[in-house]
Amino acid sequence: MHPTRLSETDICDQCITPALQRAGWSVQQHILREYTLRPGRVVVRGQASHRDKASMLRADYVLFHKPNVPLAVVEAKDAKHSVGAGMPQAIQYAELLGVPFSFASNGDGFVFRDATLSDGVLERDLTLDQFPTPAELWAKYCAWKGWTPAVEHIAATDYAPSKTPRYYQLGAINRTVEAIAAGQNRVLLVMATGTGKTYTAFQIIWRLWKSGAKKRILFLADRNILIDQTMVNDFRPFKGAMAKLSPHAKGVERVDTQGQVTVEDLDLAVNKTTKVVDKSYEIYLSLYQAVTGTQEERNIYKQFSPDFFDLIVVDECHRGSAAEDSAWRDILTYFASATQIGLTATPKETEDVSNIDYFGEPLYTYSLKQGIEDGYLAPYKVVRVDLDKDTFGWRPTEGQRDKFGHLIEDRIYTGADMNRKLVMEQRDAVVAAKVTEYLQAADRYAKTIVFCEDIEHAERMRKALSNANADLCAKEPKYVVQITGDNTEGKRELDNFIDPEKTYPVIAVTSKLMSTGVDAQTCKLIVLDQTIKSMTLFKQIIGRGTRLREDLGKSWFTILDFKRATELFADPSFDGEPVQVYAPQPGEPVAPPPPAELPGTTSVPDGWPTEPAATVGLITAEEDAPRKYIVDGIPVAVARERVQYLNAQGKLITESLRDYTRINLLKKYDSLDQFLQTWQQADRKAALLAELEAEGVLIDALAAEVGKDLDPFDLLLHVAYDQPPLTRRERAQRVKKRSVFTQYGPVARKVLDALLDKYADEGIATIESNEVFKLQPFTDLGSPVELVRSFGGRPQYLSALQALEQALYATHPAH
């Protein structure tokens, strides 16, 4: 076969792979084909989602020194391209993997880019027989890194055999191991919730432990469930060398691969009777609280000498270790000679508290925004519900007393006071009704976390949600469960809530307990009825829903915001935008209209108060006034709101949607005639629409606002050029009345008639699809081959389809 007719796959199989093998690269040990770097962002449309193919990144070849230690990227092109045509892609992939070597090839040879500049040349041409050997590239790589043989030994230590790490996990693991091998003793890794911090920590510990660089390790976390989950999941290969530092620990339930629940006894390092620590283990896991609480608990870690541990890994290090005067910091100070790694999704940086001050600048950062863009984290929609008393405030009448007879201080109470200074029982009922309304419209069994102000508020909200879902709660009391620090029975249900295989509980009502460290993989709804001013807390709460579980139907999640917490999206320190912000008008459904799920954020409507109203102190409350006033009988309703979207550049649209569309379209087409001409000349209208959407014309959102039965053509004519629109059905009927297809045979006319009906029902994209003949009623008319043959062949069918579209979009009535 002539070389120019070889496909890219043929080039790889017949030219590139043999060249690599001749240079000593082994398919089993060194070469990975079609290496996925990014699976592609999840795009939400209505209740469906798909992967954005344009954002997928897949390297043709990644070359490894040994498994998970990458060295180089090779990008292939077919023979119609130049030898170096794939170099821009190769460079991009190499940067993601943190390697200096990039190759491009079309089968005739290679272009080699050596960012180490070891020979003083950045790029050079190579023949197929000049590809470098594994030893040559590794030597260049080590020299580039400046490694001594001792550092090289540690940096090249094998990974633990387990799942294949993602590219950013490789980066975090390899950089950390390399930095510690080179003598760095404080390391900070910032990785968004749901991106595998614990797995990353495991591989770092494993490689340092196996290399002999670190022999005794302490892993600290802030939730007991995190320790137990870690020991039976990611850290399981350490079994026998690993123990838990706790005088109170018991067995832990674990679900095996067959879905059966088994009970495993965790190895405990502390004798429950004598409280003496067994120092024969090499890897210890502990709660901060288990070694910083009572004097007895503090004695646990003080039984170790200050130089006992070589390595300490601090999970969720933003919580306690950031503050200099925290009890948790005492542990790190006591074991100051140990290398210490901090893991967090949200590093704290204030005047008084700093992770960076202690650990240094992050060695590796993988943000929430990047995780969503790559397709490793779930995107989210935002539904904003502002209640009237929160927004406009409420002032008691003169001398008004609360439910228990306490005189209410006379001032204006706003959202900042609700459930803190003032409890409106009707407000709880309205929030519960809105949450229930959303679940009824989406999925009543969607795992939901409701964040309340405090434990008292959580108790009331559990009751309100139980009443709002009485039909289900009467049959299954655990449909709604309160999971707070003081609620022993509720805390027992936490494992069931986060277990993807367990249906109940469905709704978990909490205050602070579930804001961090809870791996709720299938959580689809997060309800914010808590005042949140901390960006750290906000990110942690959002992180409860960011895990993707497409195999279990979890592709995105929704934030139902009653407290304007999502205004933090506008904060420069927030690093991930929602796919939609929806603010329902009074009387509108709390679930957003399906077509309008587009990237966006929101702000307070013009003229609304942005700060709590001023205090008006006409009547002084009693000296023994309660911590909270509790009032009933005060009606609460949803206030007016509006929707805002992000444009194609990720900026907030401040104009109305119609004005924005008009401005955008007029920038592209100077006149109505130019738009009509472009539309008629487009071979595929769906492709033109996709191009317009990519440039920021929000067609789905327009359809939701103007009318779903309008063709996008009519939507744009109506909004941008003030033309009276026709519905799809009206357009189809106009064509049928004109009898424009008499030249075709009876079967072909039936096909064209069915295409018009299908257009009227579903739109232009459906009839342009290559799969349309697999749908009803076409399957009743014949096979796809037979239907195409009725026109004389595929070219004739495509010509007929184009004629049908010309007839559909014939001269507009007003033009």
Side-chain angles (χ1 to χ4, degrees):
M1 182 179 291
H2 192 275
T4 59
R5 295 181 182 177
L6 292 177
S7 67
E8 184 177 303
T9 300
D10 294 332
I11 294 292
C12 290
D13 292 341
Q14 299 179 29
C15 303
I16 297 176
T17 299
L20 297 179
Q21 291 176 313
R22 287 195 299 272
W25 297 88
S26 163
V27 173
Q28 290 74 30
Q29 182 180 355
H30 299 117
I31 301 172
L32 273 184
R33 292 275 301 270
E34 297 296 317
Y35 185 86
T36 298
L37 292 156
R38 294 173 175 165
R41 181 185 179 115
V42 176
V43 177
V44 182
R45 287 291 181 266
Q47 295 302 311
S49 64
H50 66 274
R51 293 279 183 175
D52 175 23
K53 293 182 179 179
S55 64
M56 293 179 182
L57 291 184
R58 186 177 290 118
D60 290 325
Y61 294 82
V62 176
L63 305 182
F64 292 83
H65 169 64
K66 58 170 51 180
N68 300 318
V69 182
L71 272 182
V73 173
V74 181
E75 189 61 21
K77 294 295 179 185
D78 62 35
K80 296 178 182 177
H81 291 81
S82 65
V83 175
M87 185 55 73
Q89 286 173 266
I91 293 172
Q92 180 186 8
Y93 303 157
E95 287 179 342
L96 286 176
L97 288 167
V99 298
F101 307 122
S102 310
F103 295 85
S105 178
N106 67 350
D108 288 338
F110 295 96
V111 174
F112 173 32
R113 185 178 191 273
D114 180 2
T116 71
L117 295 175
S118 57
D119 299 324
V121 178
L122 180 62
E123 293 190 10
R124 68 182 64 202
D125 294 328
L126 303 176
T127 67
L128 288 177
D129 294 323
Q130 291 178 319
F131 199 90
T133 67
E136 289 170 343
L137 282 192
W138 180 245
K140 285 176 176 282
Y141 186 82
C142 293
W144 175 61
K145 288 283 189 177
W147 289 343
T148 64
V151 173
E152 179 184 343
H153 164 71
I154 298 170
T157 300
D158 290 343
Y159 274 64
S162 65
K163 60 187 177 185
T164 301
R166 299 165 178 172
Y167 83 86
Y168 63 86
Q169 293 170 339
L170 279 181
I173 295 164
N174 290 340
R175 287 192 197 181
T176 302
V177 170
E178 292 165 11
I180 291 173
Q184 186 169 328
N185 284 322
R186 298 290 182 269
V187 174
L188 179 62
L189 297 179
V190 178
M191 297 175 67
T193 301
T195 58
K197 291 194 298 295
T198 306
Y199 170 76
T200 299
F202 161 68
Q203 288 289 4
I204 291 169
I205 294 170
W206 176 274
R207 296 181 70 209
L208 292 171
W209 182 55
K210 282 294 187 180
S211 69
K214 304 297 176 184
K215 298 178 181 179
R216 290 191 289 263
I217 295 109
L218 175 62
F219 180 87
L220 290 169
D222 69 334
R223 290 284 191 270
N224 199 55
I225 190 173
L226 277 179
I227 295 294
D228 293 345
Q229 285 178 344
T230 298
M231 293 184 76
V232 300
N233 292 319
D234 285 322
F235 279 38
R236 189 171 181 77
F238 289 132
K239 184 73 174 173
M242 167 181 65
K244 181 176 180 179
L245 273 176
S246 173
H248 313 297
K250 300 178 182 179
V252 62
E253 283 193 345
R254 179 173 181 269
V255 180
D256 64 21
T257 55
Q258 285 73 44
Q260 300 298 313
V261 177
T262 59
V263 176
E264 284 189 28
D265 289 325
L266 300 177
D267 289 338
L268 303 180
V270 182
N271 186 292
K272 292 184 180 181
T273 303
T274 64
K275 310 301 182 186
V276 174
V277 174
D278 182 348
K279 300 177 184 176
S280 65
Y281 292 96
E282 296 175 82
I283 297 165
Y284 296 81
L285 293 88
S286 176
L287 289 176
Y288 290 108
Q289 298 91 323
V291 289
T292 62
T294 64
Q295 188 60 42
E296 175 187 72
E297 289 167 332
R298 286 174 177 265
N299 286 337
I300 293 175
Y301 82 83
K302 289 189 176 179
Q303 290 182 47
F304 296 101
S305 63
D307 61 353
F308 183 86
F309 291 109
D310 304 310
L311 175 67
I312 297 178
V313 178
V314 187
D315 195 18
E316 305 292 355
C317 66
H318 63 278
R319 292 183 62 82
S321 57
E324 287 187 26
D325 59 352
S326 70
W328 295 353
R329 180 68 73 85
D330 289 346
I331 308 173
L332 303 185
T333 303
Y334 183 79
F335 297 114
S337 63
T339 298
Q340 296 174 7
I341 302 172
L343 302 172
T344 183
T346 51
K348 277 189 176 178
E349 291 303 318
T350 68
E351 291 183 5
D352 304 314
V353 177
S354 173
N355 281 127
I356 291 175
D357 179 59
Y358 185 79
F359 288 104
E361 292 289 337
L363 182 68
Y364 193 90
T365 297
Y366 190 71
S367 69
L368 172 65
K369 181 178 181 180
Q370 189 63 60
I372 293 174
E373 287 296 326
D374 285 351
Y376 288 117
L377 293 179
Y380 49 95
K381 304 180 287 186
V382 176
V383 179
R384 282 280 304 275
V385 180
D386 287 354
L387 304 178
D388 57 354
K389 299 301 186 291
D390 292 28
T391 304
F392 301 115
W394 174 80
R395 181 179 177 183
T397 59
E398 184 175 349
Q400 184 173 352
R401 294 180 179 272
D402 76 355
K403 184 177 180 179
F404 299 101
H406 298 288
L407 180 65
I408 304 174
E409 180 184 356
D410 185 9
R411 65 180 180 87
I412 297 176
Y413 295 85
T414 63
D417 298 303
M418 297 301 168
N419 294 303
R420 291 186 165 196
K421 298 293 185 181
L422 181 72
V423 174
M424 286 188 166
E425 293 184 337
Q426 183 60 29
R427 185 186 180 283
D428 292 337
V430 171
V431 170
K434 285 295 179 183
V435 173
T436 303
E437 181 185 333
Y438 179 87
L439 291 173
Q440 288 173 335
D443 175 7
R444 291 197 75 180
Y445 292 92
K447 295 285 178 129
T448 300
I449 305 176
V450 182
F451 287 94
C452 300
E453 292 287 2
D454 53 29
I455 290 174
E456 293 175 5
H457 184 202
E459 290 173 355
R460 294 193 308 274
M461 188 55 64
R462 185 207 61 78
K463 178 182 177 182
L465 283 164
S466 296
N467 287 331
N469 294 276
D471 57 329
L472 295 179
C473 290
K475 301 174 184 176
E476 178 48 69
K478 292 181 180 179
Y479 180 81
V480 181
V481 171
Q482 178 187 338
I483 303 179
T484 51
D486 69 326
N487 190 298
T488 303
E489 292 182 359
K491 284 194 289 186
R492 289 197 194 103
E493 293 299 325
L494 181 56
D495 286 351
N496 291 329
F497 179 79
I498 65 178
D499 187 343
E501 303 298 325
K502 300 288 180 64
T503 302
Y504 301 104
V506 172
I507 302 176
V509 185
T510 189
S511 55
K512 299 293 191 295
L513 183 64
M514 298 178 67
S515 63
T516 184
V518 176
D519 188 11
Q521 299 178 21
T522 55
C523 177
K524 292 185 178 181
L525 177 63
I526 290 175
V527 180
L528 301 179
D529 198 21
Q530 179 184 121
T531 302
I532 302 172
K533 298 299 183 183
S534 161
M535 180 60 70
T536 296
L537 178 59
F538 180 62
K539 284 185 178 181
Q540 288 292 333
I541 287 175
I542 298 306
R544 299 313 101 213
T546 54
R547 285 168 175 79
L548 270 171
R549 282 304 302 267
E550 292 172 287
D551 57 324
L552 297 175
K554 162 76 181 299
S555 299
W556 75 93
F557 68 104
T558 301
I559 302 169
L560 186 53
D561 180 15
F562 291 92
K563 299 290 282 188
R564 296 187 183 179
T566 49
E567 289 176 353
L568 289 170
F569 289 143
D571 193 300
S573 64
F574 188 74
D575 59 12
E577 297 86 10
V579 297
Q580 177 197 20
V581 175
Y582 169 65
Q585 300 285 338
E588 290 184 343
V590 70
E597 287 153 8
L598 297 161
T601 187
T602 191
S603 61
V604 181
D606 296 335
W608 283 25
T610 57
E611 298 293 336
T615 298
V616 182
L618 300 181
I619 298 178
T620 304
E622 300 166 341
E623 291 184 3
D624 63 343
R627 189 164 52 87
K628 297 177 185 176
Y629 299 109
I630 301 177
V631 297
D632 58 1
I634 306 297
V636 177
V638 175
R640 290 182 303 159
E641 301 178 28
R642 70 174 183 173
V643 184
Q644 289 185 295
Y645 304 94
L646 292 182
N647 64 16
Q649 290 73 44
K651 302 297 183 183
L652 192 65
I653 297 170
T654 55
E655 307 97 333
S656 72
L657 187 58
R658 294 184 183 221
D659 288 344
Y660 174 76
T661 303
R662 182 182 299 111
I663 292 168
N664 240 11
L665 210 61
L666 290 176
K667 283 181 181 178
K668 187 172 181 65
Y669 306 108
D670 294 333
S671 65
L672 174 60
D673 284 336
Q674 187 180 3
F675 172 74
L676 291 174
Q677 183 178 3
T678 303
W679 184 271
Q680 288 287 12
Q681 290 176 350
D683 291 333
R684 292 185 69 250
K685 308 301 188 275
L688 177 59
L689 291 172
E691 179 184 330
L692 290 173
E693 285 190 327
E695 294 177 5
V697 176
L698 310 180
I699 294 169
D700 285 346
L702 276 177
E705 186 172 307
V706 179
K708 298 179 182 178
D709 61 340
L710 296 182
D711 188 287
F713 176 73
D714 285 282
L715 275 174
L716 297 177
L717 283 177
H718 178 58
V719 170
Y721 301 103
D722 297 318
Q723 300 295 306
L726 294 175
T727 66
R728 292 194 302 267
R729 192 158 299 281
E730 287 172 336
R731 287 196 170 276
Q733 289 300 324
R734 285 199 321 164
V735 176
K736 287 186 177 184
K737 289 178 181 178
R738 291 165 55 193
S739 301
V740 295
F741 301 120
T742 55
Q743 72 270 34
Y744 295 101
V747 176
R749 287 200 300 271
K750 287 181 180 179
V751 170
L752 293 169
D753 197 56
L755 285 170
L756 286 171
D757 290 337
K758 188 63 74 174
Y759 163 82
D761 291 336
E762 300 180 26
I764 191 67
T766 298
I767 69 170
E768 287 187 340
S769 168
N770 292 329
E771 305 296 313
V772 68
F773 286 163
K774 296 179 182 179
L775 306 175
Q776 288 282 5
F778 301 101
T779 53
D780 296 333
L781 299 177
S783 69
V785 172
E786 291 171 335
L787 298 184
V788 169
R789 192 177 295 150
S790 70
F791 290 87
R794 183 163 181 79
Q796 291 84 349
Y797 163 70
L798 293 176
S799 177
L801 178 61
Q802 191 170 29
L804 181 148
E805 291 185 359
Q806 292 285 342
L808 277 172
Y809 299 113
T811 306
H812 192 266
H815 183 69

